Amino acid sequence: MTTEGENPRTTAPPARSAKRALAGRLSWGLADQAASSMSNFAVGIYVARSLGVTAFGVFSLAWVTYGVVLNVSRGLATDPLVVRFSGVPEASWRGAVARSTGTALGVGTAIGAACLVAGLGLGGRLGPAFAALGVMLPGLLLQDAWRFSFFAAGAGRKAFVNDVVWGVALVPALVVAARVGSVAAFVLAWGASATVAAGYGCVQSGIRPRTAQARGWLREQRDLGYRYLVENVSLSGASQLRAYGLGVIVGVGAVGAVRGAELLLGPFLAVLMGLSLVTVPEAARVLRRAPSQLGRFCLLLGGGQAAGALLWGTALLLMPGRLGELVLGDVWHSASQLIVPITLGVAGAGLGTGAAAGLRALGAARRSLRSQLFASACYVGGGLGGAAVGGTVGSAWGVAAATVSSSAVWWLQLRSARRELHQNPIPEVRTP
């Protein structure tokens, strides 16, 4: 993908300097995700140890709901930004970021209001947690939008600093939440500290989110945005359906057990997510500089992530049980039984993300949507079918089988998209 008037062959930097620049951007991506994951990990550990497996299950349901809303925001706001405004002139980037972050803020406000009303109506244990999430959604989504905006500009250091600010603000917030001792208090602490970082993002960038221009942004990016919306929501919606279904079939404690096992994989998932912040911009740069190298880049990316997941899972299997109990408390016993299937599922997901990055860079939204819908259907079917047959462990194995199978579909779609690339010239992207 090239910007108008740009010749990929004449603008490509020397190979050695390009590799150094790539390593620098990947390093900042990993550092940023490490900071972000530390915040999320700290909240999860606090809730797991302080409130027990059932309350942790309630928190996990609020968490996966946030994941759905986050992916709505990314699909409409930041995914088109990363695909079309990575490495463009600063003036183009600033204008796009103002509209993109305004869209993210608008999504958070609208869905947050609905979530607040729903939470107030639910009552019980779940209601206050959802009401608190509704209040915090605007700040949470805006903070995430700043991260992607900075990486689109190749300024990963700013994203890292922003997440460090979030982590620092989280410390006193968690102290207060621990004294209150409720799931809602922890959700408020997590969201309030993210809101502090979201405000700092405005200072870092010198850009004010333009919510009034959100409609214009959606109109300009509708060819990508709405497909990415469906793709992202099918991904997070599948996770939510699996979590709710698991809670109904097995019990809320099972949701907490799955989330606990995911926390054990937290350090590696931090690496995976850190790479995801830069993979699409980097794939777009590879495509612009040397289109024939895109397949190799994606294969190295996906294969490396899969291998890393397997190594981390092996380390978890060798970890002493006492250390696991120290980390997760009462959640450890049920979570430890899920290490093998969840590791295989993460390895399959890592392999698939290499192909997904290539499809995004190519702007092949139709093919990536097709792949994601297939993957989501398999995820829900495997997770709930496995739960019906084998409980929590069966659900984990069903998800692992679905994820590994789906990665093959991603790679088949990338192969087809690359064939089309050889037959047709790379379309130019106008960056007003």
Side-chain angles (χ1 to χ4, degrees), residues 122-375:
L122 280 174
R125 284 188 169 188
L126 197 58
F130 272 76
L133 178 64
V135 173
M136 294 293 103
L137 275 176
L140 284 163
L141 298 190
L142 180 59
Q143 194 275 337
D144 184 76
W146 286 127
R147 296 174 68 207
F148 281 83
S149 298
F150 291 139
F151 277 107
R157 181 181 60 83
K158 290 186 177 181
F160 169 74
V161 171
N162 191 276
D163 271 320
V164 169
V165 169
W166 184 1
V168 171
L170 183 62
V171 173
L174 283 180
V175 171
V176 174
R179 292 181 178 177
V180 175
S182 69
V183 175
F186 281 105
V187 173
L188 289 172
W190 167 56
S193 53
T195 302
V196 172
Y200 182 63
C202 298
V203 176
Q204 287 178 290
S205 63
I207 300 172
R208 187 176 67 180
R210 302 286 184 178
T211 54
Q213 297 181 16
R215 182 175 298 179
W217 174 260
L218 294 175
R219 185 172 57 252
E220 294 168 10
Q221 311 301 327
R222 63 182 177 272
D223 59 325
L224 293 182
Y226 292 118
R227 285 195 175 98
Y228 288 157
L229 168 65
V230 176
E231 181 180 331
N232 290 355
V233 170
S234 71
L235 171 63
S236 54
S239 298
Q240 190 172 26
L241 286 174
R242 186 257 184 135
Y244 287 155
L246 186 61
V248 171
I249 296 171
V250 184
V252 176
V255 182
V258 171
R259 178 60 185 155
E262 291 173 347
L263 281 176
L264 292 174
L265 282 159
F268 175 75
L269 290 174
V271 174
L272 189 68
M273 295 175 67
L275 289 173
S276 73
L277 290 169
V278 295
T279 51
V280 176
E282 292 307 321
R285 289 183 176 96
V286 170
L287 179 62
R288 187 163 59 239
R289 184 177 66 247
S292 62
Q293 295 298 312
L294 179 64
R296 181 173 179 270
F297 173 82
C298 294
L299 183 60
L300 289 173
L301 176 66
Q305 291 177 113
L310 294 175
L311 288 173
W312 185 261
T314 301
L316 289 177
L317 290 174
L318 299 175
M319 183 175 68
R322 287 180 296 178
L323 181 58
E325 292 175 357
L326 179 64
V327 175
L328 292 179
D330 294 338
V331 179
W332 162 252
H333 177 70
S334 54
S336 62
Q337 302 175 41
L338 309 178
I339 291 174
V340 173
I342 286 184
T343 296
L344 293 176
V346 172
L351 184 62
T353 56
L359 287 173
R360 286 286 177 95
L362 288 164
R366 186 171 299 174
R367 290 190 178 278
S368 63
L369 174 59
R370 191 180 305 158
S371 302
Q372 187 56 64
L373 290 176
F374 176 82

